[in-house]
Amino acid sequence: MGLQQMWRLVWRFNSFKRTDIILQHLRMSKHTDAAEVLLERKGCAGVITLNRPKFLNALNVSMIRHIYPQLKNWEQDPETFLIIIKGAGGKAFCAGGDIRAISEAGKANQKIAQDFFREEYMLNNAIGSCQKPYVALIHGITMGGGVGLSVHGQFRVATEKSLFAMPETAIGLFPDVGGGYFLPRLRGKLGYFLALTGFRLKGRDVYAAGIATHFVDSEKLGMLEEDLLALKSPSKENIADVLDAYHAKVISKMSPTSLKITLRQLIEGSSKTLQEVLTMEYRLSQACMGGHDFYEGVRAVLIDKDQSPKWKPADLKEVTDEDLNEYFKSLGSNDLKF
């Protein structure tokens, strides 16, 4: 074998080796991209898990390109009855789009900067128009692109660790992903405030603002998901019933008597002077001192700390107008005087 033939063989061997390495790298890259988002059929549901916990599950174009077609497939699949989306790692649902990568691509005039926004918005629309119940578990940081993955869906479940914001004006952008649709539809002008300031809503406030449809204690989130997956051919109403069962209705924990007193106090107070209100509130304070619920509430919250007060009456229906009138009646000579 001549020297030239030997070099040719070596070159071919190295070429094959290089090709093998390249193919191996491509296979690894594909796996890495796919692993950034997990798409699984579990029970009756299709489950999307945003799987970049080290980057707070920031959304990139590769993740979008995996989620979109699978969402469409599940929407048409008669065996898939709902879609659940959640974030891995416990700190974030999704902290937004991968803005740094988008910025670098934009500066380099790369097409990916155009593709990202186009495909992200297409996904937002697909979620908003999805014919299957869509449940977003927005536990942890939920900002920007993460809001787009959740807020347009039928059900959004917040926890005490939810942190919502649309902070785009701080980076020279605007609140996109349909922000112009859902923000002005929040009560009052709250959406305008959130959009202009990037203000962060935390925990129960995410539900109170109307961003979330349900609020669930984070320790129950796993059980909620299990119960949803265990449903057999569920309807939208069946899914809503499960979510409602886990939804922590704060008002149900309060004293029925106190709730009715407070509602009437505010209604009457709206047309009173400050001195008239303080006179009314002194009457209420003395009536509470002579009742049951104040002492029971202090026991349950501050002394025994079992957080399980036994109210009397235990139901709003049992608090009559006559009972309520007793709290608001004049104390005669004992009334507060200024």
Side-chain angles (χ1 to χ4, degrees):
M1 181 185 294
L3 185 62
Q4 190 173 8
Q5 287 177 305
M6 189 187 303
W7 277 114
R8 194 172 293 151
L9 284 171
V10 170
W11 184 85
R12 284 180 180 174
F13 172 78
N14 285 334
S15 294
F16 286 132
K17 190 175 180 182
R18 281 196 300 272
T19 302
D20 184 60
I21 291 170
I22 291 169
L23 288 172
Q24 185 180 6
H25 175 72
L26 287 172
R27 283 195 295 270
M28 288 175 65
S29 296
K30 185 177 180 182
H31 173 73
T32 301
D33 286 348
E36 290 180 336
V37 57
L38 307 178
L39 305 165
E40 305 166 282
R41 260 302 306 269
K42 293 183 178 181
C44 65
V47 181
I48 303 166
T49 305
L50 308 174
N51 195 36
R52 299 182 72 202
K54 291 183 179 178
F55 302 96
L56 300 178
N57 299 322
L59 185 67
N60 60 33
V61 74
S62 172
M63 296 165 73
I64 294 170
R65 288 172 178 172
H66 281 93
I67 295 171
Y68 183 87
Q70 188 60 72
L71 181 66
K72 288 296 186 181
N73 288 340
W74 281 334
E75 190 175 13
Q76 300 302 319
D77 178 18
E79 298 302 313
T80 302
F81 291 89
L82 75 148
I83 296 161
I84 297 172
I85 185 167
K86 60 182 180 176
K91 289 186 178 179
F93 167 69
C94 174
D98 195 342
I99 295 299
R100 186 167 183 172
I102 298 164
S103 174
E104 291 171 357
K107 282 191 266 186
N109 202 26
Q110 294 175 351
K111 189 171 180 288
I112 195 73
Q114 301 171 21
D115 293 343
F116 175 84
F117 289 105
R118 184 191 314 109
E119 295 179 39
E120 182 185 28
Y121 296 174
M122 292 290 287
L123 177 56
N124 298 152
N125 180 66
I127 292 167
S129 61
C130 186
Q131 297 303 301
K132 298 286 175 72
Y134 184 96
V135 181
L137 305 179
I138 52 175
H139 173 65
I141 300 169
T142 305
M143 297 184 181
V147 176
L149 291 177
S150 56
V151 77
H152 303 298
Q154 193 167 12
F155 301 109
R156 290 93 61 190
V157 181
T159 73
E160 75 280 2
K161 295 183 180 177
S162 294
L163 180 64
F164 166 94
M166 293 295 284
E168 288 81 3
T169 54
I171 57 169
L173 204 59
F174 61 96
D176 62 339
V177 298
Y181 178 80
F182 77 86
L183 286 167
R185 285 167 171 78
L186 297 179
R187 289 192 295 272
K189 298 296 181 182
L190 176 62
Y192 294 74
F193 172 72
L194 296 174
L196 293 169
T197 66
F199 186 84
R200 299 181 175 192
L201 295 175
K202 299 177 183 178
R204 203 177 293 277
D205 288 342
V206 179
Y207 166 72
I211 303 298
T213 59
H214 294 79
F215 181 90
V216 173
D217 294 330
S218 60
E219 62 185 19
K220 297 180 181 176
L221 209 54
M223 292 186 290
L224 168 61
E225 185 179 349
E226 288 177 11
D227 283 354
L228 288 172
L229 296 177
L231 291 170
K232 305 298 182 186
S233 306
S235 65
K236 179 180 72 174
E237 289 72 25
N238 297 146
I239 294 164
D241 287 344
V242 172
L243 292 169
D244 289 344
Y246 277 87
H247 178 58
K249 293 185 177 71
V250 179
I251 207 164
S252 67
K253 298 179 180 179
M254 306 306 185
S255 158
T257 300
S258 288
L259 288 173
K260 285 205 169 181
I261 288 172
T262 300
L263 180 59
R264 180 164 162 182
Q265 169 203 9
L266 298 181
I267 292 171
E268 293 195 8
S270 66
S271 60
K272 291 180 180 293
T273 66
L274 174 59
Q275 289 188 357
E276 288 172 336
V277 165
L278 292 172
T279 298
M280 172 181 67
E281 291 179 356
Y282 182 71
R283 293 172 182 173
L284 294 174
S285 73
Q286 296 311 294
C288 286
M289 293 303 102
H292 167 273
D293 281 6
F294 171 70
Y295 301 103
E296 174 61 9
V298 171
R299 179 205 64 75
V301 175
L302 300 176
I303 300 174
D304 297 338
K305 300 183 179 179
D306 58 22
Q307 309 301 322
S308 299
K310 304 295 186 292
W311 305 123
K312 292 182 183 178
D315 192 279
L316 282 169
K317 296 175 184 176
E318 298 174 16
V319 183
T320 66
D321 289 340
E322 290 74 20
D323 295 333
L324 211 54
N325 290 337
E326 287 296 309
Y327 282 83
F328 284 83
K329 73 179 183 181
S330 170
L331 298 177
S333 62
N334 290 325
D335 258 341
L336 185 64
K337 296 179 179 60
F338 295 93

